[in-house]
Amino acid sequence: MAELWRSEQYLIDPHTAVAVAVARDYRRETGDDTPMLVVSTASPFKFGEAVLDALELPAAEDPVEAAARATGCAVPKPLRGLADKQIRFTDTVEKSAMEQAVRRLLSM
């Protein structure tokens, strides 16, 4: 995330950052120069804390707004005020319990 921001002033989300890293590693390791497309499907502002961390910026009470101020990038309207929204999902599931959790959700 930080490398692309510093080199291109392009802000990406953590998932897209992984895809970009994999694409770059693939090119470096194989020498394949076939045109490649990495598609981003998430806003970096869904991951305000990760953006601040990646860009080595201080933590903030509202990380989305802090990331927007620091980068000059506009927060998409649906994500404005994200810090004030109620958390909808709080469950975490260990990998070993994933199948059981999915079955439980499907039976609801």
Side-chain angles (χ1 to χ4, degrees):
M1 291 170 65
E3 180 184 330
L4 200 54
W5 174 252
R6 283 191 290 270
S7 67
E8 313 268 339
Q9 294 291 288
Y10 188 75
L11 190 60
I12 59 176
D13 67 276
H15 303 124
T16 304
V18 170
V20 168
V22 168
R24 288 179 174 176
D25 288 349
Y26 171 79
R27 283 189 186 271
R28 187 183 69 252
E29 292 171 12
T30 66
D32 185 349
D33 64 353
T34 304
M36 186 181 306
L37 178 69
V38 173
V39 179
S40 176
T41 59
S43 169
F45 293 106
K46 286 178 64 180
F47 307 94
E49 290 177 6
V51 169
L52 295 179
D53 187 48
L55 301 183
E56 299 178 343
L57 297 168
E61 187 173 321
D62 186 342
V64 172
E65 291 303 322
R69 280 192 307 276
T71 62
C73 296
V75 178
K77 187 176 180 179
L79 297 179
R80 289 186 198 137
L82 194 59
D84 299 326
K85 295 186 178 178
Q86 181 179 356
I87 296 173
R88 293 174 46 202
F89 304 103
T90 58
D91 293 346
T92 58
V93 178
E94 294 297 323
K95 184 178 178 180
S96 61
M98 190 88 45
E99 181 180 351
Q100 181 182 1
V102 170
R103 288 184 184 280
R104 181 179 53 80
L105 291 170
L106 290 174
S107 68
M108 295 177 126

